[in-house]
Amino acid sequence: MRILGILTLAGLLANVPLSAHHSFAAEYESNQMITLSGKITKVEWTNPHIYVHLDVADAAGKVSSWSVEGYPPNTLKRTGVTRSLFKEGDTVTVTAYKSKDGSNTGAGREVTFPDKSKKFMGPVGR
């Protein structure tokens, strides 16, 4: 009976999706920088990386939602970047490396806040 329980538990755990850390080079174009200016709609201040979600309007006024990945929260905190800097509704400008899959995602490099201060939110592309 005990063996059956262990095998059942092992089978259940084998079906749980694992959250793997991804490679920058596998997801982002290190030679394709983009600049996004938009309103912050959401901030996910979680490990292993933060995500800042923006609504960005193009030249014709069409709004699209973007997700920009940054350093882990602890790394940002050590460099003076805190969660309180990212306020929903604020308009920011972010430089980022474009995703390889063509989605509206990027690996953030630098963010410019409404007061014109600039902070790094991610590394130089590899």
Side-chain angles (χ1 to χ4, degrees):
M1 188 63 119
R2 185 176 183 160
I3 300 256
L4 180 60
I6 291 172
L7 290 174
T8 301
L9 181 61
L12 289 172
L13 290 176
N15 288 319
V16 174
L18 297 177
S19 182
H21 194 267
H22 55 266
S23 162
F24 178 94
E27 290 197 36
Y28 302 106
E29 296 286 355
S30 63
N31 59 354
Q32 191 175 3
M33 290 290 290
I34 55 175
T35 300
L36 304 167
S37 290
K39 287 191 185 223
I40 297 174
T41 59
K42 181 179 175 184
V43 178
E44 296 177 69
W45 198 261
T46 58
N47 282 315
H49 297 279
I50 71 154
Y51 288 88
V52 177
H53 301 271
L54 304 170
D55 276 349
V56 178
D58 65 14
K62 181 182 175 197
V63 176
S64 55
S65 296
W66 283 78
S67 177
V68 181
E69 177 182 348
Y71 278 134
N74 193 40
T75 301
L76 290 169
K77 185 177 177 184
R78 284 181 292 172
T79 63
V81 180
T82 61
R83 166 66 179 92
S84 63
L85 289 174
F86 296 90
K87 297 178 180 84
E88 290 181 19
D90 277 0
T91 298
V92 295
T93 300
V94 177
T95 56
Y97 299 96
K98 180 81 174 104
S99 69
K100 286 185 173 182
D101 67 7
S103 64
N104 288 353
T105 59
R109 175 67 181 130
E110 184 179 72
V111 59
T112 303
F113 293 97
D115 67 358
K116 304 298 182 214
S117 66
K118 295 181 182 208
K119 300 282 186 181
F120 287 110
M121 79 182 277
V124 172
R126 298 167 193 87

